[in-house]
Amino acid sequence: MNAEHARRRRDDWPEVGWTSLRVVQFDNAEQAELHLPPSGCQSIVLVNKGLSRIESRHGSTWRGAEYGPGMIGLTAPGQPTDIRWCGSERSFTTHVELPSALIDRTCVELWGRDASRLGRPDALAVQDPVLSSVIDALCVAARAGVDEFYAESAATFLAVHLLTMHAAAPPPREAGREDHRVRRAARFIRDNHSQPLTLAEMAAVADLSPFHFLRLFKAVTGQTPYRFLTKVRVERARRHLTRPEPSITDIAHLCGFASPSRLTAAFRSETGLSPSEFRAASL
């Protein structure tokens, strides 16, 4: 059985377009055996539904495990794999791929070491509630059409979590409460909220690695950079909506939202009203 028949992408899965990571959901046949060539990505596979016995071979040795909901498989970049599974029903899985360059860069930025010295996460079956929660959140965000910044933040967190919990990396050192760096980044966000900002750009303004920036920003402000940016954009939209012009489509563009629907979703989440409802009540 080839991969196309063994694993079929869900028909209702959206084309997200994220570049920081790839996430996709699959329906899997009850039984299959596949050869997976080496990939340039760190693979994370979460079982959402179904029970099966899975076996994997690196070289001449087969490893086996029972797979059920919540179980996670990890495959390191550059690792060819033979895999086979057998179950009584089709299973449903979510696959997340992180670029190997992100893993390598994270190792150097946080520990000053090459990824080969820390090890790359590779396991047939593990249980990790944190990974499961992040993957579930990514699925919700993908279906909602959330922008690249969210994916970039999640990818940065996942890289560090995988290296510390499923490889040999020690816990990252604390960045310290350097409020002036956060204030500088917050000012940058406010001044450039209409642009498609990235986590890397914000971290560079604060002169921190992306992961340390995420932790420091959350420690100082009580919210993630993504949440802070969203609140700034919604606040700017509120100001525009107190006037009859511009149009909601134009406001979405002026405030940095990828589309009017993204503005509507964020605005309703923050205020409980749609932009149109807020404008009607304000005029």
Side-chain angles (χ1 to χ4, degrees):
M1 179 180 290
N2 61 34
E4 181 179 352
H5 291 92
R7 287 178 173 168
R8 182 171 60 84
R9 177 189 171 109
R10 290 193 64 182
D11 293 336
D12 62 346
W13 186 253
E15 290 289 346
V16 185
W18 290 339
T19 59
S20 301
L21 56 75
R22 179 175 182 264
V23 58
V24 64
Q25 294 182 330
F26 288 97
D27 286 322
N28 307 292
E30 292 88 343
Q31 301 180 38
E33 183 168 345
L34 301 174
H35 172 72
L36 304 176
S39 168
C41 294
Q42 170 72 48
S43 173
I44 311 167
V45 179
L46 169 67
V47 181
N48 302 100
K49 178 182 177 182
L51 300 171
S52 63
R53 168 76 180 177
I54 190 165
E55 296 179 328
S56 174
R57 181 174 65 185
H58 299 322
S60 60
T61 303
W62 285 93
R63 299 176 296 165
E66 301 300 321
Y67 254 33
M71 296 300 294
I72 294 172
L74 305 172
T75 303
Q79 183 86 345
T81 305
D82 291 309
I83 188 169
R84 62 193 182 194
W85 65 87
C86 180
S88 59
E89 59 180 344
R90 296 185 70 88
S91 61
F92 170 31
T93 52
T94 302
H95 296 234
V96 177
E97 295 180 349
L98 299 177
S100 60
L102 172 63
I103 302 294
D104 294 340
R105 184 171 67 250
T106 300
C107 288
V108 173
E109 288 179 348
L110 297 189
W111 297 286
R113 307 181 199 176
D114 184 82
S116 61
R117 295 177 58 192
L118 293 174
R120 293 179 173 88
D122 195 88
L124 180 59
V126 298
Q127 288 186 308
D128 186 328
V130 173
L131 274 182
S132 298
S133 295
V134 174
I135 293 171
D136 287 342
L138 280 169
C139 291
V140 172
R143 292 189 179 279
V146 174
D147 60 24
E148 178 71 27
F149 185 22
Y150 183 95
E152 185 184 15
S153 300
T156 299
F157 172 81
L158 285 173
V160 178
H161 181 81
L162 287 170
L163 288 164
T164 53
M165 300 304 296
H166 300 286
R173 66 186 185 280
E174 292 294 330
R177 293 182 63 86
E178 300 176 76
D179 292 24
H180 68 280
R181 295 188 179 190
V182 172
R183 288 197 300 271
R184 190 162 67 231
R187 185 166 57 250
F188 173 78
I189 292 170
R190 292 191 185 97
D191 291 344
N192 297 276
H193 69 277
S194 62
Q195 304 302 312
L197 298 178
T198 68
L199 179 65
E201 290 173 334
M202 295 179 188
V205 168
D207 195 26
L208 291 166
S209 72
F211 178 71
H212 280 143
F213 173 68
L214 279 172
R215 288 206 299 180
L216 181 60
F217 196 95
K218 179 72 178 293
V220 173
T221 69
Q223 55 193 322
T224 65
Y226 177 80
R227 176 73 169 161
F228 182 84
L229 174 60
T230 300
K231 290 174 75 70
V232 168
R233 286 173 167 169
V234 168
E235 180 56 34
R236 296 300 190 273
R238 285 167 63 103
R239 297 181 188 178
H240 287 299
L241 288 165
T242 58
R243 303 188 299 272
E245 297 291 341
S247 69
I248 290 175
T249 297
D250 287 340
I251 291 173
H253 176 73
L254 290 168
C255 296
F257 290 99
S259 67
S261 63
R262 288 302 310 144
L263 164 61
T264 297
F267 200 92
R268 189 183 293 279
S269 177
E270 290 291 332
T271 69
L273 299 172
S274 71
S276 297
E277 290 167 342
F278 181 85
R279 171 170 271 172
S282 301
L283 295 179

